């Protein structure tokens, strides 16, 4: 048993070395990706269930490697975050998102854009300044931008979080709490933060209708949002039944595969929806 234990340890430490090596390699590739402009944004439509119109999009980053493979954010955001490279990448996302909005605008399309912020970006005390500069340079109206943050970013130093939220809000952009319901927000807690929107996490949407617990939670989040005068959006809508449940409960803005996958900008043109 002892020998086996040793062996196990040997393999384990080899695994750790491999993991560290992979990480370093990924970090170097990420630096190169920034230099060589290998990132692109995909856009997932947000649909208004009452009008069936596209009210906006969520920007979702992709990494297009020189070998033409498309790497999803789950594969590189964590390393970008832990190395701090996310701050540069995240700034590019804001630039590109605003340029996208400006192009949409020039085609007569007034839509909004949800942009995900990472922890490091949110903690950066230059963030509001950066956003302000980008808005000015691209001519995008601030009210067209919605920054998505998660509940966990509001934990810890809540004074600093509130300060950052106020800095952003003073620019005229709106703020949304992403993956809402998966964190620890209580009503009283939420009231302290100047946010505009709650985005119901996909995990609560995926088993409605059917799972009574989830139906209750979704209905409660929608009611809470109404009570607090917050907008509410549902993500991860994959079926007509889910869309109907949300509409019946007065959550009118939704996104999900049922309507559209996230798409490259040139693929957005021919989208149309019919919702019953
Ligand atoms: P998220 O912000 O919760 O984004 C929603 C994710 O759900 C996206 O995955 C989207 O493609 C996926 N999705 C959309 N509709 C459906 C659906 O109906 N069913 C299912 N199963 N999934 C759906 P994606 O694009 O792989 O992004 C994953 C996460 O990576 C995002 O989660 C976000 O946390 C992060 N991320 C993406 N882009 C950025 C970015 O520009 N900056 C930062 N900091 N994080 C980003
Ligand atoms: Ca999001
Ligand atoms: Ca989300
Ligand atoms: Ca998520």
């Amino acid at each position: 048993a002892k020998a086996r234990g040793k062996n196990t340890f040997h393999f384990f430490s080899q695994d750790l070395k491999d993991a560290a090596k992979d990480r370093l390699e990924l970090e170097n590739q990420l630096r190169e990706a920034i230099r060589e402009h290998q990132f692109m944004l995909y856009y997932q439509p947000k649909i208004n269930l009452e009008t069936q119109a596209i009210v906006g999009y969520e920007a979702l980053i992709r990494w297009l490697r020189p070998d033409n493979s498309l790497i999803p954010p789950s594969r590189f955001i964590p390393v970008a975050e832990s190395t701090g490279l996310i701050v540069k990448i995240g700034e590019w996302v804001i630039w590109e998102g605003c340029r996208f909005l400006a192009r949409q605008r020039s085609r007569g399309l007034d839509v909004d854009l949800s942009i995900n912020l990472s922890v490091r970006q949110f903690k950066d005390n230059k963030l509001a300044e950066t956003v302000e500069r980008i808005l000015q340079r691209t001519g995008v109206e601030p009210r067209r931008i919605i920054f998505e943050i998660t509940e966990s970013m509001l934990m810890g130093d809540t004074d600093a979080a509130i300060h950052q939220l106020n800095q952003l809000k003073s620019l005229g952009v709106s703020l949304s709490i992403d993956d809402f319901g998966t964190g620890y927000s209580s009503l009283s807690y939420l009231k302290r933060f100047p946010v505009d929107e709650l985005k119901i996490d996909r995990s609560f949407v995926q088993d409605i209708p059917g799972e009574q617990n989830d139906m209750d939670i979704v209905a409660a989040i929608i009611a809470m949002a109404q009570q607090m005068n917050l907008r509410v959006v549902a993500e991860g809508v994959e079926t007509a039944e889910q869309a109907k449940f949300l509409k019946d409960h007065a959550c009118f803005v939704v996104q999900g595969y049922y309507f559209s996958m996230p798409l490259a900008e040139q693929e957005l043109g021919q989208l149309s929806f019919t919702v019953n």
Side-chain angles (χ1 to χ4, degrees):
K2 207 168 187 186
R4 194 166 157 248
K6 246 185 179 167
N7 257 341
T8 308
F9 176 73
H10 174 76
F11 285 124
F12 182 59
S13 77
Q14 191 56 49
D15 281 351
L16 279 181
K17 276 185 206 150
D18 288 349
K21 191 165 154 267
D22 285 353
R23 215 189 91 107
L24 192 65
E25 203 170 293
L26 188 58
E27 182 181 343
N28 287 332
Q29 289 171 345
L30 276 175
R31 289 184 196 283
E32 185 179 306
I34 295 171
R35 275 198 314 271
E36 312 275 325
H37 309 288
Q38 292 172 5
F39 296 109
M40 58 187 296
L41 290 184
Y42 269 36
Y43 302 93
Q44 185 175 42
K46 295 189 288 181
I47 316 298
N48 181 318
L49 291 174
E50 287 183 302
T51 62
Q52 313 200 355
I54 295 175
V55 293
Y57 298 93
E58 177 176 4
L60 295 156
I61 196 170
R62 300 290 181 263
W63 179 8
L64 184 61
R65 303 289 312 277
D67 66 2
N68 267 329
S69 55
L70 204 60
I71 319 275
S74 57
R75 294 264 308 279
F76 64 91
I77 294 279
V79 172
E81 179 79 50
S82 66
T83 52
L85 292 171
I86 191 70
V87 175
K88 258 225 151 74
I89 296 171
E91 186 175 333
W92 175 83
V93 170
I94 302 170
W95 271 110
E96 186 56 24
C98 286
R99 287 189 293 246
F100 165 78
L101 279 183
R103 287 191 292 270
Q104 293 286 110
R105 180 80 189 271
S106 72
R107 300 173 52 212
L109 300 167
D110 276 316
V111 289
D112 65 40
L113 188 69
S114 300
I115 296 177
N116 293 285
L117 292 180
S118 76
V119 182
R120 285 260 197 150
Q121 250 183 313
F122 186 68
K123 298 220 156 117
D124 179 4
N125 55 22
K126 293 222 165 63
L127 176 64
E129 222 175 275
T130 302
V131 171
E132 186 174 28
R133 189 174 64 244
I134 295 172
L135 289 169
Q136 273 167 2
R137 296 268 198 90
T138 56
V140 165
E141 293 173 286
R143 67 190 179 96
R144 296 293 177 191
I145 301 286
I146 302 156
F147 284 115
E148 296 193 355
I149 55 172
T150 58
E151 287 165 86
S152 62
M153 296 185 202
L154 304 175
M155 306 287 167
D157 193 346
T158 53
D159 288 342
I162 290 170
H163 179 73
Q164 182 70 291
L165 296 172
N166 282 327
Q167 297 276 99
L168 290 168
K169 282 226 57 117
S170 71
L171 301 175
V173 302
S174 17
L175 303 169
S176 177
I177 302 189
D178 201 0
D179 304 338
F180 187 76
T182 59
Y184 300 90
S185 306
S186 65
L187 256 176
S188 63
Y189 184 82
L190 203 59
K191 260 192 116 82
R192 302 174 49 200
F193 299 102
V195 298
D196 308 279
E197 180 186 286
L198 304 181
K199 195 164 192 181
I200 305 173
D201 190 63
R202 175 168 87 224
S203 60
F204 301 115
V205 173
Q206 77 192 356
D207 297 321
I208 56 170
E211 191 70 50
Q212 189 60 44
N213 259 342
D214 290 341
M215 290 162 68
D216 292 344
I217 291 170
V218 168
I221 295 174
I222 296 167
M224 179 164 116
Q226 272 169 353
Q227 195 69 36
M228 295 182 65
N229 250 321
L230 301 174
R231 302 193 300 255
V232 62
V233 177
E235 68 177 4
V237 177
E238 295 183 355
T239 68
E241 291 72 29
Q242 290 163 356
K244 182 173 188 319
F245 179 92
L246 290 160
K247 192 178 174 193
D248 289 347
H249 287 76
C251 174
F252 297 118
V253 179
V254 298
Q255 59 183 92
Y257 294 165
Y258 178 63
F259 302 99
S260 173
M261 305 270 292
L263 298 171
E265 184 175 355
Q266 63 272 19
E267 300 173 301
L268 296 177
Q270 55 273 47
L271 286 172
S272 78
F273 306 96
T274 17
V275 190
N276 300 305

